[in-house]
């Protein structure tokens, strides 16, 4: 059971950082403007000596778009939050300082750790159970920890501070609309579920290719890389949703149990030169803008050999998926932005003689942000009805009225864990990728290169 405690104050640690300004505050603004965070107070904390005016400028800027599109009630709610917000300069890793701040804020408080994983862990280590007021919610950004062992230690630590149902390991990549669209597609259509298995599906690809380079994120990204940042943190969760067994309900217990079962059955098998790839971008051009070599970006340590593109082949060893490769890929500075899952079905066993033209396996594409659906099928072509041609059935799926981080924050404020990753699941994701990370660190898989603005490294 989950608590229905109402959060009174949202405290953002790392308030001066990129995540807060670019994603968290705009997400909060839309949530507030829609009347879905009544009475909430906002507080920011960071190590920088910001004045109240600097913080207010940041919040104002982040709230501007939501304010421009809000109705009269929404504008009043945004104004209320702006007038009551506060900023606190705090070293959250220093004993007693975060505890003292929590004691001054109106409880219950949701503490959002918009910080690098190591800093978040240090901040929790200096807290004691008596420092945390009843009802406090701890919200951890992904990646959760920085290794399997650190994730285990962090889980144990957090459970000494608050109950498990007050820990939110958020995954903004999976908004509620996206989760429900995938589940609805799979389990509400009788023509899909009977063929959603190894007998009819040849492979599944989950791709998150960005047409952005480092964009000033070296402080975090150069210590993480594409495998930790995207595949471990997000794409494994999408894979699990696509692969789960039908749950009895879409309640958090049934759904998260089903996700955990898939991840426990998953692994990346050696040799890792066959089942994985890593690469980083060289100088090139993106949207007419020159991009330097990754190693020449400000803040990058070339000796780390951080990958900006990662690809892994995951095996799910269960009855439904044995032998079906799940290919997960994410890369930066690529020519085309691509954010989708592609399910490729097996070819038909026999095509009647007399047909000509295209005969390729059917594919189902599920796009993320915006959420779309595209089914490629072979049909009789125009003119010559004996010639097959490819047609696409396209639909836009329902989208949320909130931004992804607004959906995350609403789950935190209402105590809904649906978009939170359960502790055991967070550990399983690290278990899956850690052998790959070790092999890469030992140089067992070569670090390839690709030009910024290209399609990535050449196919093997």
């Amino acid at each position: 059971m989950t608590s229905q405690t109402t959060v009174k104050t949202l405290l953002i640690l790392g308030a001066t950082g990129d995540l807060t300004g670019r994603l968290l505050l705009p997400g909060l603004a839309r949530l507030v403007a829609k009347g879905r965070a009544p009475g909430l107070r906002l507080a920011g904390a960071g190590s920088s000596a910001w004045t109240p005016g600097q913080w207010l400028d940041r919040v104002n800027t982040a709230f501007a778009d939501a304010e421009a599109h809000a109705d009269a009630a929404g504008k009043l709610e945004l104004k209320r939050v702006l007038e009551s917000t506060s900023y606190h300069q705090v070293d959250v890793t220093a004993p007693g300082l975060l505890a003292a701040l929590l004691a001054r804020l109106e409880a219950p408080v949701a503490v959002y750790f918009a910080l690098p994983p190591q800093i978040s862990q240090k901040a929790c280590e200096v807290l004691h159970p008596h420092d945390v007021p009843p009802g406090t919610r701890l919200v951890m950004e992904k990646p959760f920890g920085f290794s399997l062992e650190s994730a285990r230690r962090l889980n144990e630590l957090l459970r000494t501070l608050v109950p498990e149902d007050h820990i939110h390991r958020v995954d903004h990549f999976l908004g509620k609309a996206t989760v429900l669209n995938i589940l609805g597609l799979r389990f509400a259509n009788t023509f899909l579920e009977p063929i959603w298995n190894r007998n009819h599906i040849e492979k599944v690809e989950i791709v998150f290719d960005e047409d952005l380079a480092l964009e000033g994120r070296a402080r975090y990204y150069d210590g993480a890389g594409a495998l930790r940042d995207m595949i471990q943190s997000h794409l494994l969760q999408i894979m699990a949703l696509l692969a789960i067994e039908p749950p009895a309900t879409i309640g958090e217990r049934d759904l998260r149990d089903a996700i955990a079962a898939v991840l426990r059955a998953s692994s990346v098998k050696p040799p890792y030169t066959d089942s994985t790839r890593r690469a980083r971008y060289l100088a090139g051009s993106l949207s007419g803008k020159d991009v330097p070599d990754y190693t020449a970006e400000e803040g990058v340590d070339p000796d780390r050999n951080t990958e900006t593109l990662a690809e892994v082949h995951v095996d799910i060893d269960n009855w439904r998926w044995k032998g079906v490769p799940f290919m997960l890929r994410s890369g930066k500075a690529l020519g085309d932005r691509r954010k989708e899952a592609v399910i490729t079905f097996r070819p038909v066993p026999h095509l009647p003689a007399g047909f000509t033209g295209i005969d390729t396996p059917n594919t189902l594409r599920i796009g993320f942000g915006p959420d779309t659906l595209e089914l490629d099928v072979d049909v009789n072509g125009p003119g010559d009805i004996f010639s097959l041609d490819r047609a696409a059935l396209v639909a836009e799926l329902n989208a949320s009225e909130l931004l992804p981080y607004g959906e995350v924050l609403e789950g935190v404020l209402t105590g809904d864990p649906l978009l939170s990753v359960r502790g055991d699941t967070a550990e399983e994701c690290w278990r899956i990728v850690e052998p790959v990370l070790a092999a890469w660190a030992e140089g067992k898989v070569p670090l390839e290169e690709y030009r910024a603005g290209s399609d990535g490294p050449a196919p093997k």
Side-chain angles (χ1 to χ4, degrees), residues 365-417:
R365 296 176 179 270
I366 304 171
F368 307 116
D371 287 4
T372 57
L373 186 67
E374 180 177 320
L375 178 62
D376 292 335
V377 295
D378 290 332
V379 296
N380 298 71
D384 183 358
I385 60 173
F386 294 99
S387 177
L388 296 173
D389 200 357
R390 177 50 55 99
L393 310 178
V394 182
E396 287 192 15
L397 303 179
N398 290 328
S400 171
E401 64 177 357
L402 301 177
L403 296 173
Y405 268 91
E407 291 189 309
V408 164
L409 290 171
E410 185 173 44
V412 172
L413 301 181
T414 61
D416 180 3

Side-chain angles (χ1 to χ4, degrees), residues 175-195:
K176 185 174 288 187
T178 299
V179 170
L180 296 180
N181 280 335
I182 292 174
L183 297 178
L185 174 69
R186 275 201 58 189
F187 302 124
N189 294 288
T190 55
F191 73 94
L192 270 183
E193 183 55 26
I195 61 170

Side-chain angles (χ1 to χ4, degrees), residues 34-305:
K34 295 294 182 181
R36 291 160 70 166
L40 183 71
R41 298 173 69 91
L42 170 66
S47 58
S48 300
W50 275 24
T51 65
Q54 284 177 290
W55 171 244
L56 192 59
D57 285 345
R58 159 160 278 211
V59 179
N60 255 317
T61 300
F63 277 25
D65 183 70
E67 198 275 338
H69 296 90
D71 58 19
K75 292 180 190 294
L76 283 175
E77 273 293 284
L78 289 167
K79 182 181 179 184
R80 180 192 59 76
V81 173
L82 284 165
E83 289 177 345
S84 64
T85 191
S86 58
Y87 176 80
H88 309 266
Q89 184 183 4
V90 177
D91 178 0
V92 297
T93 64
L97 297 187
L98 179 55
L101 176 57
L102 286 173
R104 298 202 304 271
L105 299 174
E106 184 181 4
V109 179
V111 185
Y112 200 111
F113 291 80
L115 299 166
Q118 292 91 335
I119 304 299
S120 296
Q121 188 149 342
K122 288 179 182 177
C124 292
E125 286 170 353
V126 299
L127 284 174
H128 300 284
H130 63 265
D131 295 331
V132 182
T136 299
R137 296 185 176 276
L138 303 179
V139 190
M140 313 300 293
E141 263 289 325
K142 296 195 78 184
F144 181 77
F146 46 89
S147 65
L148 175 58
E149 181 57 32
S150 71
R152 283 175 177 159
R153 291 200 312 269
L154 187 52
N155 274 332
E156 292 169 1
L157 174 61
L158 293 176
R159 291 181 189 122
T160 69
L161 300 175
V162 298
E164 170 65 27
D165 68 350
H166 282 54
I167 304 169
H168 294 259
R169 305 167 189 84
V170 300
D171 186 357
H172 68 275
F173 194 84
L174 279 181
K176 185 174 288 187
T178 299
V179 170
L180 296 180
N181 280 335
I182 292 174
L183 297 178
L185 174 69
R186 275 201 58 189
F187 302 124
N189 294 288
T190 55
F191 73 94
L192 270 183
E193 183 55 26
I195 61 170
W196 205 262
N197 55 54
R198 61 188 172 86
N199 296 322
H200 300 280
I201 291 178
E202 186 173 84
K203 64 179 179 179
V204 178
E205 300 164 89
I206 302 169
V207 179
F208 188 90
D209 284 350
E210 297 181 89
D211 56 359
L212 298 173
L214 193 55
E215 305 293 316
R217 295 181 65 220
R219 181 181 176 187
Y220 159 71
Y221 191 86
D222 198 45
L227 182 56
R228 287 183 178 91
D229 181 51
M230 283 303 307
I231 293 179
Q232 184 277 143
S233 290
H234 305 302
L235 301 193
L236 283 170
Q237 295 291 323
I238 290 180
M239 181 197 78
L241 274 176
L242 290 169
I244 60 172
E245 295 301 315
T249 73
I250 56 172
E252 62 90 12
R253 175 77 180 272
D254 288 340
L255 185 57
R256 298 205 292 181
D257 281 351
I259 289 172
V262 169
L263 292 174
R264 285 195 299 272
S266 301
S267 63
V268 182
K269 292 183 169 55
Y272 298 117
T273 49
D274 295 337
S275 59
T276 76
R277 294 186 81 179
R278 60 178 182 142
R280 70 182 176 197
Y281 65 80
L282 300 172
S285 177
L286 284 170
S287 303
K289 178 183 175 182
D290 289 337
V291 175
D293 285 355
Y294 174 78
T295 54
E297 296 268 23
E298 184 178 354
V300 168
D301 179 357
D303 293 335
R304 280 189 173 138
N305 286 329

Side-chain angles (χ1 to χ4, degrees), residues 199-202 344-351 359-362 378:
N199 296 322
H200 300 280
I201 291 178
E202 186 173 84
T344 301
F345 294 91
R346 297 190 183 281
V348 295
H350 171 71
L351 185 68
D359 173 29
T360 54
N362 303 115
D378 290 332

